[in-house]
Amino acid sequence: MLHASVTVDPAFVVGPVRRRTFGSFVEHLGRCVYTGIHDPAADCADEDGFRTDVIDHTRALGISTVRYPGGNFVSGYRWEDGIGPVDDRPRRLDLAWHSTEPNTIGVDEFMKWTVKSGTEAMMAINLGTRGIESALDLLEYCNVPGGTYWSDLRRANGAEDPYRIKMWCLGNEMDGPWQVGASTAEEYGRLAARTAAAMRRLDPEIELVACGSSASHMPTFGEWERTVLTHTYEHVDYISAHAYYYETDGDLDSFLASAVDMDHFIDSVAAAADQVRAAKKTDKRIHISFDEWNVWYQRRAESRPPSGDDWPVAPVLLEDHYNVADAVVVGNLLISLLRHTDRVHAASLAQLVNVIAPIMTEPGGRSWRQTTFHPFAQASTLAKGDVLNVAIDGPDYETKKFGNVPVLDAVATHDPDTGEVVIFAVNRSTTEQLTLDVNLAAFPGLRLLDATTLSNPDHTWTATADDDSTVTPVPNTTATVDAGRFAAELPPVSWNVIRLGK
Ligand code: AHR
């Protein structure tokens, strides 16, 4: 039997819980847009063809920002193809995903969807095949009230008021050889700096994200960040980070410790940004937009794009089906993002619907929630106030990828307005139950409001359209609070949420 002690104290504040930590991503990829958010054939479709069930799931997830329209897709995208009368819009080849883009959905439809789903758009511009001019045109179309060519065209297309989109990504993964228009750090850094400076002249209120490396294992990781930020530091607010994790060769122990890698990655990106800060002798800090993260089984057949003469519209792509262990990892990655709230100011779960997503749909049919839906929804709706670092004293276990790592990982939030304390915790052991003992002496008089656990004796259990509710977070009946101490048994491979209040 394993045992871990945790101390939670309101003095250990890392920073505020940021709503933008709970963002997601809608890319024109596979069935994310078509038959995902938009599916006129579905019974639940509204007057604009949007699936109302997906909107309901999105609201239940507590999604804040939604990155759009890509991803790899954006690097070959002409945004003007997606405006005006739908019947006049061109069909184009999407070189990123070897698909045909019908352009039925474009910026105006997407912005309508953000209003319906209560989300904030995070717009990406194409710095693969395009540059400053098309970025300025899109910004003018979106954010200028009227009286100019592009803003009046938006009004003519039905959107009287400007969208005033705040967050803008300066391209996507521009270091990746798979990217249309992939660049060196020098080439990209110079283009991003000039584009950012021009965009800010048009709208000084916007927040800009420069592309970081597409993954920490890229050979240029670190040096890419240094070069890009050397060019862009004065003009941008964020550097992006992307990370996907998956279980390889049955190594569940390492997979469950994926957040160890995310912690290290965030610290490394921050260090690279601070190196430039030091060289520039400036007080300004660049924050991290972790705008792609998730579990993604990239080697599975579902992730292979079509080829040859086959350029389908909205093919099945990246449709991973997640099990309970995947959900525990997603929960643990959220713990990592929260405990870096001083540096990670925005994040996007990639993606929202059908494509490596917490929400799945059948074309024209049912929708359902994957296992990964639950930790995200709980963290997003329950984390409030300040993020607290917690002191953990517990056992380690050996992993092939990361060496010795703690069995228990946890973070807490404290809402000074309500006094509520929420602890998010994972037990990474694949075999052992863990007794969690929390010292609450610094919070006199707290009582247990609620404790839930997501786990299953078979951690490979996977939700389907027929059954997405057999395994969900359920009350943890072992949880108690007594004399300033919380205690509970956490099953192996489990995600746990403990709410304490007055
Ligand atoms: O989210 C899927 C893909 O992963 C995105 O299009 C790309 O940016 C990343 O490589």
Side-chain angles (χ1 to χ4, degrees):
M1 172 75 99
L2 302 173
H3 178 271
S5 305
V6 170
T7 303
V8 186
D9 191 303
F12 301 164
V13 175
V14 189
V17 174
R18 299 177 196 280
R19 281 298 303 143
R20 281 181 176 167
T21 302
F22 303 103
S24 187
F25 181 21
V26 165
E27 177 169 2
H28 286 248
L29 191 186
R31 299 195 307 112
C32 189
V33 170
Y34 305 112
T35 72
I37 64 168
H38 189 254
D39 192 358
D43 286 345
C44 64
D46 68 9
E47 66 286 1
D48 295 311
F50 291 122
R51 292 189 67 126
T52 53
D53 55 352
V54 170
I55 288 173
D56 292 344
H57 292 308
T58 303
R59 286 185 176 275
L61 275 171
I63 298 291
S64 54
T65 50
V66 179
R67 188 164 174 253
Y68 176 87
N72 296 343
F73 171 79
V74 79
S75 297
Y77 182 51
R78 301 175 223 205
W79 68 270
E80 306 89 330
D81 288 348
I83 59 172
V86 172
D87 291 344
D88 297 346
R89 297 183 189 177
R91 288 164 74 85
R92 300 267 190 203
L93 297 183
D94 161 21
L95 303 183
W97 301 107
H98 207 279
S99 307
T100 295
E101 173 54 51
N103 283 304
T104 314
I105 297 293
V107 61
D108 292 315
E109 289 81 17
F110 176 69
M111 292 310 293
K112 212 177 239 184
W113 182 85
T114 61
V115 173
K116 294 182 185 212
S117 59
T119 54
E120 176 195 351
M122 179 181 183
M123 191 63 69
I125 60 163
N126 174 355
L127 289 188
T129 58
R130 308 190 83 184
I132 303 176
E133 189 173 85
S134 76
L136 288 175
D137 291 347
L138 177 59
L139 182 59
E140 180 185 319
Y141 186 87
C142 291
N143 283 13
V144 170
T148 64
Y149 177 78
W150 290 109
S151 59
D152 284 343
L153 192 54
R154 183 202 66 240
R155 293 167 69 206
N157 287 338
E160 182 57 30
D161 295 329
Y163 299 132
R164 297 213 188 277
I165 297 170
K166 267 259 158 48
M167 283 193 85
W168 292 79
C169 301
L170 298 163
N172 176 71
E173 296 191 348
M174 294 309 302
D175 64 329
W178 57 87
Q179 204 68 220
V180 175
S183 316
T184 64
E186 273 295 327
E187 289 165 346
Y188 170 71
R190 280 178 46 73
L191 177 60
R194 287 180 292 137
T195 308
M199 289 175 77
R200 273 213 204 284
R201 283 191 191 204
L202 201 162
D203 184 349
E205 301 296 311
I206 55 176
E207 297 171 40
L208 292 168
V209 186
C211 287
S213 301
S214 48
S216 61
H217 55 72
M218 295 301 284
T220 50
F221 173 59
E223 184 51 26
W224 171 277
E225 278 71 9
R226 194 192 63 75
T227 307
V228 167
L229 285 176
T230 298
H231 286 292
T232 59
Y233 208 91
E234 292 79 4
H235 307 294
V236 304
D237 306 283
Y238 308 86
I239 183 94
S240 71
H242 292 180
Y244 292 102
Y245 298 95
Y246 54 95
E247 185 183 336
T248 41
D249 308 324
D251 183 5
L252 182 58
D253 282 336
S254 297
F255 176 55
L256 287 167
S258 297
V260 170
D261 182 76
M262 185 184 251
D263 285 340
H264 180 65
F265 183 28
I266 293 171
D267 293 342
S268 306
V269 175
D274 288 346
Q275 183 194 0
V276 182
R277 179 176 184 244
K280 288 193 179 269
K281 302 176 180 58
T282 169
D283 286 343
K284 178 178 174 181
R285 241 182 233 290
I286 296 292
H287 297 292
I288 297 171
S289 171
F290 214 119
D291 45 43
E292 287 189 34
W293 68 271
N294 204 347
V295 172
W296 175 13
Y297 290 87
Q298 305 191 23
R299 293 185 193 165
R300 287 187 185 158
E302 293 84 354
S303 286
R304 241 170 273 139
S307 57
D309 288 337
D310 186 22
W311 296 84
V313 174
V316 170
L317 268 176
L318 284 65
E319 298 205 9
D320 281 2
H321 288 209
Y322 294 118
N323 65 29
V324 174
D326 297 325
V328 172
V329 170
V330 163
N332 202 168
L333 296 174
L334 282 162
I335 289 174
S336 172
L337 291 169
L338 278 170
R339 82 167 136 250
H340 288 95
T341 193
D342 54 337
R343 216 54 206 260
V344 177
H345 284 207
S348 303
L349 175 73
Q351 300 193 3
L352 184 66
V353 196
N354 292 330
V355 171
I356 44 173
I359 305 167
M360 298 298 288
T361 66
E362 294 173 335
R366 299 173 292 178
S367 66
W368 47 282
R369 296 174 176 189
Q370 299 238 44
T371 54
T372 53
F373 185 100
H374 307 293
F376 191 100
Q378 286 188 302
S380 167
T381 52
L382 297 176
K384 293 202 177 82
D386 296 324
V387 178
L388 304 181
N389 240 331
V390 298
I392 300 177
D393 182 11
D396 286 349
Y397 72 105
E398 176 69 25
T399 65
K400 280 197 194 118
K401 281 193 186 159
F402 311 116
N404 261 1
V405 304
V407 173
L408 177 84
D409 197 12
V411 73
T413 58
H414 171 227
D415 186 346
D417 294 337
T418 61
E420 195 167 309
V421 172
V422 183
I423 301 167
F424 303 97
V426 291
N427 176 4
R428 294 166 171 161
S429 169
T430 56
T431 51
E432 304 291 309
Q433 178 165 297
L434 178 138
T435 303
L436 173 66
D437 176 17
V438 184
N439 179 348
L440 296 168
F443 292 100
L446 280 192
R447 63 186 183 84
L448 181 63
L449 300 178
D450 191 20
T452 62
T453 292
L454 175 69
S455 70
N456 197 46
D458 173 12
H459 66 259
T460 65
W461 185 90
T462 303
T464 62
D466 292 328
D467 175 15
D468 68 352
S469 56
T470 295
V471 181
T472 58
V474 293
N476 185 322
T477 52
T478 66
T480 56
V481 172
D482 189 23
R485 297 196 88 82
F486 168 88
E489 303 302 328
L490 311 187
V493 194
S494 63
W495 157 257
N496 306 274
V497 181
I498 298 136
R499 280 178 58 228
L500 303 145
K502 296 273 174 180

